[in-house]
Amino acid sequence: MEPTATAGPDPSAAPLPEVSALLDGVPRQRGGPDRPGTLAPAPLTRALCRARRLLPTPAGTPFTFGYAAVLALTSLFGAYADPSLVHSLHQASSTDVAHLLESPALVLLASALWVAGGLVSPYVVCFLLVLTALERRTGGARAAVVFLAGHVLATLVTEGTVGLAVLVGHLPDSSLHRLDYGISFGVAAAVGALAGLLGPWLRLPLLVLFGGMLVRSLIGFTDPMTGWGHLIALATGVATWPLVRRWYRETRAARLPKPRPGG
């Protein structure tokens, strides 16, 4: 049996380098050469951040967030409370001619606390997306002004027309007590105002799609007064373009960092 020889260290082999705590070529290591100090956000994270800006937040869009919370509560109440009680509240909040003659300010505010159709209404989605975008560009108080302008003006014009039609005998007296409440006029005005802050490649499709939806509803003749009210509110929002554009410039200027004295 031949003896087994043990191999000694090879003097020609180069010594191995020391292994550091971070490995070259492996990404996402704190302090590594690929990303020194911090980690770059993943594409999915950036996309989620952008998507989150589409919806209201307490800090970023307090008006839209608070208003949406109120609408959620009243919609849930309308869905689960006693139907007769809900109907009575809707009637008390209706911006019909009789209520507008008695207490216009109160009923105009009360009617905007309900969503016609509840949380399943398409105007809920429009409210969240459009009011959020408008508030981020102009501020909460100014977005509220646009919303209320459309709500109030369209309501007064449509209900004033109903009152005149009853006065001259074209409509029965029962039309003075028709049920009229909801946020759709304010949302239509916000859509019109927001369109003026978008680029042409977004502005025109938005106006065509939303305006076409309103015209189709008007042609359907299901509720012509409300249909005309939506178009009046949309036109009200478009009429605010010079104002909202100035507000947008002021809001952007206020968010820019102030230069340091002597800098």
Side-chain angles (χ1 to χ4, degrees), residues 25-64:
V26 180
R28 300 181 181 275
Q29 297 183 90
R30 181 175 57 84
D34 291 347
R35 290 173 174 81
T38 58
L39 295 178
L44 179 59
T45 303
R46 292 195 297 268
L48 290 175
C49 290
R50 293 193 188 100
R52 189 175 61 179
R53 286 182 59 83
L54 297 177
L55 297 175
T57 59
T61 54
F63 166 70
T64 306

Side-chain angles (χ1 to χ4, degrees), residues 67 71 111-116 121 123-124 127 147 151 181-188 230:
Y67 196 179
L71 294 175
S111 65
L113 300 179
W114 304 92
V115 179
S121 170
Y123 281 100
V124 173
F127 173 88
F147 183 92
H151 176 70
Y181 64 90
I183 61 171
S184 58
F185 290 168
V187 171
H230 288 147

Side-chain angles (χ1 to χ4, degrees), residues 18-253:
E18 294 183 359
V19 178
S20 62
L22 301 177
L23 301 179
D24 295 337
V26 180
R28 300 181 181 275
Q29 297 183 90
R30 181 175 57 84
D34 291 347
R35 290 173 174 81
T38 58
L39 295 178
L44 179 59
T45 303
R46 292 195 297 268
L48 290 175
C49 290
R50 293 193 188 100
R52 189 175 61 179
R53 286 182 59 83
L54 297 177
L55 297 175
T57 59
T61 54
F63 166 70
T64 306
F65 185 87
Y67 196 179
V70 172
L71 294 175
L73 291 176
T74 57
S75 297
L76 291 174
F77 179 84
Y80 295 104
D82 181 68
S84 60
L85 174 60
V86 174
H87 182 69
S88 299
L89 291 174
H90 285 168
Q91 283 188 321
S93 305
S94 175
T95 49
D96 53 43
V97 177
H99 283 144
L100 287 173
L101 291 175
E102 294 174 1
S103 52
L106 178 61
V107 76
L108 282 168
L109 290 176
S111 65
L113 300 179
W114 304 92
V115 179
L119 293 177
V120 297
S121 170
Y123 281 100
V124 173
V125 178
C126 290
F127 173 88
L128 292 175
L129 298 179
V130 173
L131 260 293
T132 298
L134 185 62
E135 184 173 358
R136 289 192 185 280
R137 287 165 172 78
T138 63
R142 292 163 173 175
V145 167
V146 173
F147 183 92
L148 288 176
H151 176 70
V152 171
L153 183 61
T155 298
L156 293 180
V157 171
T158 54
E159 292 299 335
T161 303
V162 170
L164 290 175
V166 172
L167 188 62
V168 298
H170 289 310
L171 288 176
D173 292 346
S174 60
S175 299
L176 299 176
H177 303 278
R178 77 188 197 102
L179 202 59
D180 188 10
Y181 64 90
I183 61 171
S184 58
F185 290 168
V187 171
V191 170
L194 179 63
L197 301 178
L198 302 176
W201 57 282
L202 279 178
R203 180 188 311 143
L204 186 58
L206 176 63
L207 290 176
V208 169
L209 290 176
F210 191 77
M213 181 187 69
L214 299 183
V215 171
R216 185 177 63 179
S217 176
L218 180 62
I219 294 175
F221 215 70
T222 54
D223 189 352
M225 283 295 102
T226 300
W228 281 112
H230 288 147
L231 291 176
I232 292 170
L234 180 64
T236 300
V238 171
T240 65
W241 283 3
L243 190 59
V244 295
R245 285 169 176 169
R246 177 165 62 84
W247 289 345
Y248 178 50
R249 290 192 296 268
E250 293 174 356
T251 302
R252 288 188 63 186

